[in-house]
Amino acid sequence: MARTDVIVLGAGIVGTSAALQLAKRGLSVALVDRRDPGEETSYGNAGVIEGNTVFPAAFPSSLSRRIRVALKRSTEANYHLAFLPQVVPWLLAFRAASRPERLIETARVMRPLFARAVAEHEVLMLEAGATRYLRRDGWLKVYRSDRAFAGLAPELALAEEFGLPLLRLDLEGARALEPNLSAVVRHAVHWPHAASVSNPLAVTRAYAARFSTLGGAVLTGDARTLQRANGSWRVATAQGPLDADVAVLALGPFAPEVLDPLGIKLPLGIKRGYHRHFRPAGNAALTRPVVDPETGFCLAPMEQGIRLTTGAEFAARDAPATPVQLDRLMPAARSLFPLGEPVEATPWMGCRPCFADSRPVIGRALGHPGLWLSYGHAHWGLTLGPASGRLLAEMITGATPFCDPAPYGAERFTR
Ligand SMILES: Cc1cc2nc3c(=O)[nH]c(=O)nc-3n(C[C@H](O)[C@H](O)[C@H](O)COP(=O)(O)OP(=O)(O)OC[C@H]3O[C@@H](n4cnc5c(N)ncnc54)[C@H](O)[C@@H]3O)c2cc1C
């Protein structure tokens, strides 16, 4: 029977980063996935490493926005009617977590992780020879109305309290950074310390390759075969069964398939999202990701083209794709930046794994010795992969964690 110190299940950005952080600390580690690293949710994000995140995505506070969503006229969100009964408890918890005082609490407890986000990526990228994918020129949030910009005041005040650099810009200032933005922009905020990548898949692959050079094993296997055997965790892989004292579950939106049968039922929600690449029209160019929060989309320059990503769709994870938000968004996206022809025939879809309190679960699985969890990174899995991998590796090896892991524990759902 093959044995290793740790089996990491799931080779998205979260699992691959965790495996790499564990291997760097001298443990023998196997990274097990049914696909090649980085090919699920971690493939299709907007590539923003947003260490400046203050408030998480929130339930719409205005009645008119809620009505637009309910009537399926919203660009920011969509839903499948048949899925509503299942998602209502999660939505109510999300709404409760979106109250102003809860948003501030979330911002404070998530700050230590976000504060390490860019630095931890930089370390791994240097070691993995992947710095060519990294851009250090921030990202730009643009606002079409005075009202939306004024509504930012509490978030910007907290950002300033946290010491996060930000620049308030008018149209001219925004165009100094991104000359092809149109005059629909009235205000913008440049977050210069955010970073972004030009190819999220290539970054996960580079971290997996670095993991291999440190002696880590990247194996094909189905995490649903995980079981207790002779006091260890065992998983079936294409190379045969593998045992370890420690198993890390980093399966993102697929985690419940393994956790539910073990009796670990945590309230994970799914926010599906889409992307499609476009060629810029004429000589237009985009240097950094630009997000339009009022309309609910991001334009991110990627090696494949300009990636237009959508907000949330509430639907069963495996239900057929319904990329209606992209259709609704196109006029607004084209009115912001001159997009040309689409690159692919059909959009990509992925599933953000989200807890209603916008925190991931990083820590032990209670009642299951040697089983650790790292999933639910929601809108910020690329951002937080290396930092949460470091935190997990420090906890598993008994080192002093770089921040207090208590706010991310699964215990918060059972108290
Ligand atoms: C449209 C969109 C835009 C986004 N933009 C950003 C952004 O700009 N910045 C940011 O930080 N985040 C962003 N995100 C969020 C980010 O992409 C996710 O949080 C992140 O990819 C989650 O990573 P993960 O490793 O947890 O999950 P995944 O990448 O889904 O990895 C899970 C892995 O588990 C494997 N797996 C599943 N089931 C099994 C099984 N039974 N056996 C073996 N293996 C299995 C899968 O194959 C997969 O490789 C965005 C997401 C979307 C959808």
Side-chain angles (χ1 to χ4, degrees), residues 10-15 33-35 40-42 44-48 221-224 250-254 273-274 309-310 348 350 352-353 377-383:
I13 187 64
V14 171
D33 201 299
R34 58 189 174 194
R35 302 184 65 174
E40 283 284 355
T41 328
S42 301
N45 55 59
V48 185
D222 188 336
R224 289 171 296 188
L251 294 166
F254 309 93
Y274 297 85
T309 63
T310 71
W348 170 90
R352 303 176 184 92
H377 290 70
H379 292 254
W380 300 119
L382 171 68
T383 298

Side-chain angles (χ1 to χ4, degrees), residues 121-138:
H121 264 292
E122 279 180 331
V123 172
L124 297 191
M125 282 188 191
L126 261 179
E127 293 172 0
T131 49
R132 65 184 177 282
Y133 303 114
L134 182 67
R135 293 178 295 235
R136 291 297 322 254
D137 45 13

Side-chain angles (χ1 to χ4, degrees), residues 29 32 67 107 111 148 167 181 240 300 325 331 387 413:
V29 184
V32 178
I67 291 172
R111 184 89 303 266
L167 292 145
L181 293 180
Q325 275 164 284
F413 296 111

Side-chain angles (χ1 to χ4, degrees), residues 36-400:
D36 286 335
E39 293 190 346
E40 283 284 355
T41 328
S42 301
Y43 167 78
N45 55 59
V48 185
I49 303 174
E50 185 22 349
N52 300 295
T53 297
V54 182
F55 286 166
F59 196 84
S61 54
S62 90
L63 185 63
S64 60
R65 279 182 66 201
R66 284 187 223 159
I67 291 172
R68 270 206 328 273
V69 174
L71 295 176
K72 288 180 166 278
R73 296 215 183 113
S74 162
T75 45
E76 304 112 279
N78 188 43
Y79 64 93
H80 287 188
L81 195 57
F83 188 64
L84 272 188
Q86 268 168 272
V87 79
V88 160
W90 188 95
L91 285 175
L92 291 175
F94 183 52
R95 192 177 66 169
S98 301
R99 285 199 295 264
E101 68 280 9
R102 292 282 304 276
L103 292 180
I104 293 172
E105 182 196 344
T106 304
R108 291 194 193 283
V109 299
M110 288 298 293
R111 184 89 303 266
L113 273 188
F114 281 120
R116 290 300 309 163
V118 175
E120 296 299 330
H121 264 292
E122 279 180 331
V123 172
L124 297 191
M125 282 188 191
L126 261 179
E127 293 172 0
T131 49
R132 65 184 177 282
Y133 303 114
L134 182 67
R135 293 178 295 235
R136 291 297 322 254
D137 45 13
W139 77 326
L140 199 60
K141 291 192 179 182
V142 298
Y143 300 88
R144 297 169 189 239
S145 69
D146 296 341
R147 199 162 151 240
F149 187 66
L152 274 186
E155 186 171 11
L156 299 188
L158 195 56
E160 277 160 353
E161 184 197 316
F162 290 159
L164 303 176
L166 62 98
L167 292 145
R168 294 170 177 81
L169 304 173
D170 57 11
L171 173 63
E172 201 186 334
R175 277 185 172 160
L177 295 172
E178 298 294 346
N180 295 109
L181 293 180
S182 83
V184 297
V185 174
R186 283 188 62 78
H187 304 277
V189 180
H190 181 216
W191 299 84
H193 283 195
S196 63
V197 298
S198 56
N199 188 333
L201 173 64
V203 171
T204 308
R205 281 184 175 160
Y207 292 176
R210 171 69 184 152
F211 167 72
S212 297
T213 62
L214 293 179
V218 180
L219 304 177
T220 304
D222 188 336
R224 289 171 296 188
T225 62
L226 184 72
Q227 56 165 301
R228 282 304 266 175
N230 304 325
S232 297
W233 289 103
R234 177 172 298 166
V235 69
T237 74
Q239 291 76 12
L242 181 65
D243 281 9
D245 287 338
V246 175
V248 173
L249 199 136
L251 294 166
F254 309 93
E257 288 178 13
V258 176
L259 291 178
D260 284 359
L262 294 173
I264 304 170
K265 298 203 193 264
L266 301 179
L268 186 76
I270 294 294
K271 290 186 195 171
R272 306 201 316 177
Y274 297 85
H275 85 219
R276 198 168 188 190
H277 295 107
F278 293 83
R279 293 186 185 88
N283 294 326
L286 198 63
T287 309
R288 55 178 69 68
V290 173
V291 68
D292 178 340
E294 277 171 275
T295 324
F297 69 90
C298 183
L299 292 173
M302 294 283 170
E303 288 178 354
Q304 298 103 312
I306 294 181
R307 183 175 286 185
L308 168 59
T309 63
T310 71
E313 181 179 65
F314 296 96
R317 190 192 65 204
D318 299 329
T322 48
V324 292
Q325 275 164 284
L326 275 175
D327 299 335
R328 291 182 208 151
L329 277 174
M330 281 321 296
R334 289 193 192 281
S335 75
L336 177 65
F337 179 86
L339 293 171
E341 291 306 302
V343 173
E344 310 92 355
T346 52
W348 170 90
M349 186 192 82
C351 298
R352 303 176 184 92
C354 303
F355 290 104
D357 63 4
S358 296
R359 303 181 210 170
V361 164
I362 305 169
R364 288 178 186 279
L366 295 181
H368 296 268
L371 184 60
W372 294 76
L373 309 174
S374 186
Y375 75 112
H377 290 70
H379 292 254
W380 300 119
L382 171 68
T383 298
L384 296 175
S388 60
R390 174 178 160 185
L391 180 63
L392 189 80
E394 287 170 347
M395 285 193 275
I396 289 175
T397 56
T400 306

